[in-house]
Amino acid sequence: MAAPILVTGGTGTLGRFVVPRLQDAGQAVRVLSRGRHEDGDGVEFVTGDLATGEGAAAAVTGVETVVHLAGTAKGDEAKMRHLARAAARAGTRHIVFISVVGADRVPIASGIDRAMFGYLGEKAAAERVLASSGVPWTTLRATQFHDLVLLMAQQMAKMPVMPVPAGWRMQPIDAGEVADRLVELALGTPAGRVPDMGGPRVYEMTQLMRGYLTAAGKRRPLLPMPTPGKAAKAYRAGANLAPERAVGRRTWEDFLAARLGSTTAPKLVRDAA
Ligand SMILES: NC(=O)c1ccc[n+]([C@@H]2O[C@H](COP(=O)([O-])OP(=O)(O)OC[C@H]3O[C@@H](n4cnc5c(N)ncnc54)[C@H](OP(=O)(O)O)[C@@H]3O)[C@@H](O)[C@H]2O)c1
């Protein structure tokens, strides 16, 4: 059997789309996870933690290509450092990395910036670590996945009034479409930084939240909230958007209809401000 492709983050939202697509393309897949999983459905699991580097060497052994999707709110630079070091030692031929649109356009200048947007600075740092690792690489930046926006909406709708960051816009994209592109990149040769992927439309946050409320059959007043700091200012200026790269096809409305199965508009959705 050919060398497996290692997928870090293969158990996550994006990874669960990437793994079967790689298999459909005839690839053997190994997944690195912090949890213990039984091998199954043609997937081999390796237990490890990229925050400490534990298990990284075993995960990359015998692998030519790594698709690095493991990511959390904190510590992505360290995760990349551990992975890239192990991959360089093992002679890995290609690391494909998923990053975020605007990673280097949102300044992290204060504690409040770091608290709200520190993960973007970490992503930019991880990109740099990869580029200087000596392992041939490809980095794709994507805008926010529909799943993340849905999670935000569900959290905010737990309150009687939905707080919405004033002036923010988003360009949500389907994680399955990002997975298609990542598989294409993983099966290709290292390409460096490739063009960003953005969702089909740019929405005001209020539009996204209203869309959610409509699809979920809920009623909540929306309360625009000011967001302090330089990073939030860059966000309001659209640093997180890629309107010139609106290559995604599935809209927020289509995603909501498929996920929540309802398009019935509630009678009253009004803004508090
Ligand atoms: N969500 C978005 O809107 C968005 C947009 C652009 C780019 N991205 C990037 O895309 C990637 C995947 O996002 P997602 O939404 O699929 O994330 P997710 O659902 O939260 O999944 C995170 C994955 O990372 C793995 N992981 C976390 N910490 C780890 C560690 N210390 N060692 C090894 N594995 C670890 C988890 O595996 P286990 O729990 O099994 O260990 C899990 O599979 C992330 O890098 C994210 O920054 C996300």
Side-chain angles (χ1 to χ4, degrees):
M1 187 98 180
I5 292 185
L6 173 68
V7 182
T8 76
T11 58
T13 302
L14 180 59
R16 284 196 294 262
F17 287 108
V18 168
V19 169
R21 282 162 167 74
L22 285 171
Q23 291 179 308
D24 288 348
Q27 300 295 318
V29 177
R30 181 183 292 167
V31 166
L32 172 72
S33 168
R34 289 165 298 176
R36 293 200 177 275
H37 305 268
E38 293 290 321
D39 293 352
D41 293 332
V43 178
E44 173 198 356
F45 282 92
V46 171
T47 303
D49 187 343
L50 290 175
T52 62
E54 174 212 334
V60 296
T61 299
V63 159
E64 293 184 354
T65 301
V66 177
V67 181
H68 179 39
L69 313 176
T72 44
K74 281 188 183 166
D76 282 359
E77 180 184 5
K79 289 186 196 72
M80 177 65 90
R81 214 170 272 292
H82 290 130
L83 176 69
R85 192 179 301 145
R89 283 190 188 135
T92 301
R93 295 200 184 157
H94 189 189
I95 295 180
V96 178
F97 178 46
I98 182 69
S99 186
V100 183
V101 165
D104 59 354
R105 291 201 298 243
V106 174
I108 308 299
S110 65
I112 191 84
D113 292 340
R114 194 160 297 107
M116 290 176 69
F117 296 99
Y119 70 96
L120 284 174
E122 291 261 355
K123 276 283 187 268
E127 288 184 7
R128 290 192 293 273
V129 169
L130 177 59
S132 59
S133 67
V135 181
W137 56 278
T138 302
T139 291
L140 171 68
R141 292 182 181 175
T143 53
Q144 273 64 47
F145 305 155
H146 291 315
D147 308 75
L148 179 74
V149 181
L150 175 60
L151 192 66
M152 289 168 68
Q154 287 170 330
Q155 293 299 326
M156 293 199 275
K158 286 184 180 161
M159 289 173 263
V161 173
M162 268 175 101
V164 182
W168 287 24
R169 287 165 293 153
M170 288 210 177
Q171 190 181 348
I173 190 163
D174 199 71
E177 292 175 6
V178 177
D180 287 337
R181 177 72 173 133
L182 286 166
V183 168
E184 182 183 28
L185 294 169
L187 300 181
T189 50
R193 170 95 185 276
V194 295
D196 295 352
M197 270 190 96
R201 278 186 59 190
V202 174
Y203 298 81
E204 305 285 339
M205 278 297 274
T206 45
Q207 290 176 304
L208 292 167
M209 295 304 115
R210 284 200 195 94
Y212 163 74
L213 289 169
T214 299
K218 292 179 192 283
R219 299 174 193 185
R220 297 282 184 282
L222 304 185
L223 179 63
M225 300 285 291
T227 44
K230 289 190 174 159
K233 188 174 175 193
Y235 227 72
R236 286 195 297 279
N240 58 317
L241 306 174
E244 72 295 348
R245 291 287 306 155
V247 293
R249 294 178 306 279
R250 196 182 201 196
T251 63
W252 174 236
E253 293 77 14
D254 290 344
F255 168 83
L256 286 173
R259 191 59 71 88
L260 302 178
S262 164
T263 52
T264 315
K267 287 198 174 58
L268 176 66
V269 179
R270 62 191 161 77
D271 286 1

